[in-house]
Structure formats: structure tokens, C-alpha cells
Amino acid sequence: MTPKFKAHPWHGISAGEKAPEVVNVFVEIVPSDTIKYEIDKESGFLKVDRPQQFSNIIPALYGFVPKTYCDEEVKKLAIENGSTDVEMGDADPLDICVLSSHNIHAGDFLMEAIPIGGFKMIDKGEADDKIVAVMVGDHAFGHIRDISELPEAEVKRLKHYFLTYKNLPDEPAKCRIDDIYGADHARKVINASMKDYETKYGA
């Protein structure tokens, strides 16, 4: 009998046949989670990272794009677009949040999503981009193709989360957002992270 195994969500699954226009997403956490989970890089299982801080609950499905890595190419792209104090990428898979009208109760699954933009976040000298995408076929968000088409309140809600989710009360901000970019630049960031992955781990 052929042994059965689960592919590693980061290394064993492609970014998607149509990437960067449509990407595979491994979802780690969902809006109802009060615990922040993240992938264990060695085993591929989800592990508990920390309880969500106070009222900072993720406002969208959140995870990463498989076979991506944020290193020199992602850093270079951030610098080319105006960030002056970036020392490196964050040495993690590319983060992505996916907007959907569906009430999904738990993470640890794959889905397809269409990138529509993102946030150029700088976290203590590291380029830590957050791609924003919509779930393929979603009846409320699936038609959107650029972040400029989202209601301003939705963009502000995502921005607020990413600026505050690591902070304790009265602490200074640990990160900043230098730019909110559209779909064209999001695809450049995805391509850069795919190149960084190939450099680090091979095709």
C-alpha cells in the first residue's frame, strides 16, 4: 500500500498555477479565533503562537502563500518604492488576508484567492508586506479586482489591525505602514517573494 501523507503547507504546495493573478492560500486563522495560530515551519502543523491581544481580532481570513519567502527581492522592492530603513525581508512566507462573506469556523485549509492590493508594512527594519485578496467566487467580494474598489472603512479596519495587533496598551507602535498599494504592485510583491523562495530553497 502506498504511504499516505499530508503535504507541507509551505513547501509541498505550489503558489498556484495562475500565480500571481490567482494564488493558493493556506489559512492559519479566521476572524472568530481568539488564539493566533501559525504554521510550524519544521512539521507543517499549526501551532499556537499567542492569544490575540485584547480586542485585536483578525478581520479577515489570514495565512500565507505557499512557496514564497520574504528576503532580498522583497526588501529591494520596498526600497525601490520609498522605504529608506529596510534591512531585510522578514524571513517568513508572504502573509495574505482574504476577504470573504462566508462564516468559516476554523483555519488549516487551502483556498484560492485573487490579490487586489496590500500594505507595505515595515516591522523593526524588516519588509513584512500584507497582501489583501478576495476569495475566488465569493458572492460579496469575488468581483473586486483592486483595493481601490473596497469601501474605505474596510481598508481602515485592516490597516488598524496590522498596526496594532502586536502592541500592548500604551506601548509605542512596533511597526508602520509606508504604503497602501493596488493589485499591480501586489503581484510584483508576490513575484518577488516567489523568487526569494527559489533562491532560498530551490525551485
Side-chain angles (χ1 to χ4, degrees):
M1 180 181 292
T2 302
K4 294 182 179 180
F5 65 94
K6 177 182 176 181
H8 195 293
W10 184 16
H11 302 297
I13 300 163
S14 77
E17 293 181 0
K18 299 178 182 178
E21 286 77 16
V22 181
V23 296
N24 287 328
V25 177
F26 181 77
V27 176
E28 297 165 298
I29 55 177
V30 302
S32 60
D33 284 329
T34 58
I35 297 289
K36 183 179 183 296
Y37 304 99
E38 67 176 29
I39 199 75
D40 178 68
K41 292 178 181 177
E42 182 176 349
S43 69
F45 285 94
L46 281 183
K47 67 177 182 180
V48 173
D49 180 27
R50 63 178 183 271
Q52 295 280 29
Q53 299 289 346
F54 304 97
S55 61
N56 286 343
I57 303 301
I58 184 72
L61 304 172
Y62 184 79
F64 62 86
V65 180
K67 289 195 175 179
T68 60
Y69 184 70
C70 297
D71 198 8
E72 286 299 313
E73 292 296 323
V74 172
K75 166 192 166 183
K76 182 168 68 175
L77 195 57
I79 293 172
E80 288 174 356
N81 286 273
S83 295
T84 57
D85 59 347
V86 183
E87 300 173 3
M88 57 185 291
D90 75 341
D92 277 329
L94 180 63
D95 295 322
I96 185 167
C97 58
V98 183
L99 298 169
S100 172
S101 58
H102 294 275
N103 186 17
I104 298 174
H105 297 287
D108 195 20
F109 65 90
L110 280 173
M111 66 182 302
E112 287 188 320
I114 300 168
I116 62 169
F119 299 98
K120 183 169 69 170
M121 196 168 94
I122 309 300
D123 185 355
K124 293 178 289 188
E126 298 178 353
D128 188 13
D129 284 75
K130 309 296 184 184
I131 301 298
V132 179
V134 296
M135 180 179 180
V136 170
D138 188 84
H139 66 274
F141 293 99
H143 66 285
I144 293 174
R145 291 296 177 268
D146 193 87
I147 200 169
S148 62
E149 300 171 39
L150 286 178
E152 183 180 359
E154 193 72 40
V155 178
K156 285 184 176 179
R157 188 167 70 126
L158 291 167
K159 181 179 180 182
H160 177 266
Y161 174 78
F162 289 124
L163 286 175
T164 60
Y165 75 114
K166 293 183 179 181
N167 289 3
L168 295 171
D170 302 321
E171 281 189 343
K174 296 182 178 180
C175 54
R176 70 178 195 271
I177 290 174
D178 282 355
D179 188 27
I180 300 174
Y181 49 76
D184 286 344
H185 190 74
R187 290 189 284 268
K188 292 179 182 178
V189 174
I190 294 166
N191 277 331
S193 68
M194 292 168 67
K195 290 179 182 176
D196 278 335
Y197 182 91
E198 291 182 8
T199 299
K200 177 74 173 179
Y201 296 104

